[in-house]
Amino acid sequence: MIFVSNEGITDPRINLAIETYLVQKMPLEEPILLFYINEPSIIIGRNQNTIEEINKDYVEEKGIHVVRRLSGGGAVYHDEGNLNFSFITPDDGDSFRNFKKVTQPIVDALHDMGIEGAELKGRNDLVIDDKKFSGNAMYATNGRMFAHGTLMFDSDVNEVVNALKVRKDKIESKGIKSIRSRVTNIKPYLADDHQHMSTKDFRQEILLKIFETDNIDDINVYKLTDEDWKEINDISDDLYRNWDWNYGRSPEFDIVRRKRFSIGSIEAKMNVTHGEIRDIRIYGDFFGLGDIKDVEETLTGVKYDRDAIAAVVRHIDVKKYFGNIEAEDLVDLLY
């Protein structure tokens, strides 16, 4: 495994660009590990409607970055008490959506640090005592993928609550009363002699555990070159500094259909004119392969009739784009 240093950068628009560069363009002779710590930011899942996920006035008042990532899943809050990790690997056809496999190195590292209660629970969360400290997501492209996640080490939980909106159906589906009741930081679970650790100290400790060494000099580190940085900055400008990518335009729709499945929530917003779907946008925190625009384009122009929709949906690889649901589930959602 190779560790890529992000040079201590805390701007999420650069850190996500580094990750994108590594998965899309970096030669991949062996797996790559990237760590980054972001200044206050909300990182939006690829298929989410940004405005519906954030407390816009609060975010703007506090100058919190809002950046859309490539992977699916839900919105997460980052600050300098949060460590983010990303494993970039070949897509072996057996790892996408297999969160147990890709989070095991992190869980093992935490166990080695004495946090025996750390475990994967549900679809993609790491928890201690049933309290979430890590959300995880994945993205695959051209035979490569990354699996990345958050590690709340000493994050400001109040800011998580203030900056994000959480839908009522998500709270009810998890049987919880509030964000505060279901999230935790890792730091309180460390032994007393580790309570002095900063997030950067924690990053180094996790790094050593993953590479199974006590000596930082034993770690195989790749230093990004000037040429790498040029491409990273181009990606940042094209995507992560781009308002259209981060927010997107969400016109008014006359039909809104939403349902929560085991794979996450899916929401379809449609404009139907003269009995035909003239415009459709699909949002959600599901983990899909491919671009959801493919599905939207396939449904545009279809008669808004159950049989007509079902006939088109039969030709969509529903599991590829959404996860483990059936074609009939998508038809039920849309009509």
Side-chain angles (χ1 to χ4, degrees):
M1 184 180 293
I2 298 171
F3 175 66
V4 173
S5 172
N6 77 328
E7 311 287 347
I9 289 169
T10 59
D11 185 336
R13 299 165 298 184
I14 297 294
N15 284 326
L16 267 65
I18 296 172
E19 182 178 60
T20 301
Y21 174 72
L22 294 177
V23 76
Q24 291 181 348
K25 299 186 178 184
M26 184 80 170
L28 192 60
E29 297 173 356
E30 55 185 299
I32 296 170
L33 172 62
L34 172 71
F35 280 152
Y36 53 93
I37 298 169
N38 285 328
E39 57 208 39
S41 321
I42 296 176
I43 311 299
I44 301 289
R46 177 164 189 150
N47 299 310
Q48 291 189 294
N49 185 340
T50 300
I51 292 299
E52 293 186 0
E53 300 297 329
I54 67 173
N55 287 326
K56 187 170 181 292
D57 290 344
Y58 187 85
V59 165
E60 290 179 351
E61 176 191 343
K62 297 294 185 180
I64 297 170
H65 297 289
V66 177
V67 187
R68 185 185 301 278
R69 62 181 186 266
L70 289 177
S71 60
V76 290
Y77 177 78
H78 291 181
D79 62 16
E80 293 183 0
N82 183 86
L83 175 64
N84 306 284
F85 65 89
S86 182
F87 292 105
I88 297 96
T89 64
D91 182 3
D92 59 10
D94 187 45
S95 296
F96 196 82
R97 302 192 186 100
N98 185 346
F99 288 101
K100 182 172 180 58
K101 177 179 179 181
V102 298
T103 59
Q104 197 61 48
I106 298 296
V107 171
D108 290 343
L110 291 171
H111 288 176
D112 285 346
M113 293 177 69
I115 306 174
E116 295 293 337
E119 61 178 341
L120 178 71
K121 184 175 182 181
R123 181 176 58 148
N124 63 318
D125 294 343
L126 295 179
V127 303
I128 304 171
D129 293 343
D130 280 338
K131 292 189 175 185
K132 175 179 174 178
F133 66 87
S134 172
N136 295 270
M138 297 183 188
Y139 170 74
T141 180
N142 296 325
R144 300 158 66 120
M145 63 176 282
F146 64 62
H148 60 183
T150 60
L151 292 171
M152 290 177 60
F153 178 71
D154 194 18
S155 195
D156 187 339
V157 176
N158 287 326
E159 287 299 89
V160 177
V161 175
N162 292 334
L164 291 173
K165 294 178 185 175
V166 180
R167 288 180 178 271
K168 185 171 181 286
D169 64 342
K170 184 169 185 177
I171 291 174
E172 289 174 346
S173 74
K174 293 181 179 289
I176 57 175
K177 294 181 180 179
S178 69
I179 295 177
R180 288 185 184 88
S181 70
R182 68 177 294 261
V183 301
T184 188
N185 282 307
I186 295 168
K187 189 172 183 178
Y189 293 88
L190 293 175
D192 290 344
D193 59 349
H194 282 71
Q195 286 299 313
H196 66 281
M197 288 179 71
S198 67
T199 311
K200 291 180 180 178
D201 296 331
F202 175 68
R203 176 182 60 190
Q204 178 154 317
E205 191 71 16
I206 290 285
L207 184 62
L208 292 170
K209 297 295 185 187
I210 289 175
F211 277 85
E212 299 180 333
T213 180
D214 294 326
N215 187 349
I216 198 74
D217 294 331
D218 292 340
I219 293 172
N220 186 8
V221 179
Y222 176 81
K223 183 175 175 60
L224 294 164
T225 66
D226 290 344
E227 185 177 336
D228 294 331
W229 280 113
K230 181 182 183 306
E231 295 205 50
I232 288 165
N233 283 304
D234 287 345
I235 292 169
S236 180
D237 289 341
D238 290 344
L239 280 182
Y240 303 116
R241 297 181 186 275
N242 184 326
W243 188 94
D244 283 335
W245 168 256
N246 290 328
Y247 281 84
R249 302 189 182 278
S250 182
E252 293 296 323
F253 293 90
D254 49 28
I255 296 177
V256 179
R257 305 270 293 175
R258 179 182 174 87
K259 187 173 180 181
R260 187 157 191 88
F261 300 92
S262 62
I263 51 87
S265 65
I266 306 175
E267 180 178 65
K269 294 190 173 187
M270 295 170 279
N271 280 326
V272 176
T273 306
H274 303 304
E276 181 181 286
I277 300 173
R278 293 292 176 86
D279 196 7
I280 178 169
R281 294 289 184 275
I282 298 174
Y283 300 104
D285 58 2
F286 51 89
F287 295 104
L289 285 163
D291 193 331
I292 204 66
K293 287 182 180 178
D294 298 342
V295 178
E296 295 168 344
E297 289 173 1
T298 300
L299 291 164
T300 300
V302 174
K303 184 179 179 183
Y304 192 65
D305 168 85
R306 186 179 181 87
D307 291 341
I309 292 171
V312 171
V313 168
R314 276 199 299 270
H315 298 288
I316 297 173
D317 187 344
V318 172
K319 284 184 166 56
K320 170 185 174 182
Y321 288 101
F322 297 97
N324 191 25
I325 64 170
E326 304 298 329
E328 190 69 14
D329 294 323
L330 183 59
V331 174
D332 287 342
L333 169 76
L334 295 170
Y335 193 79

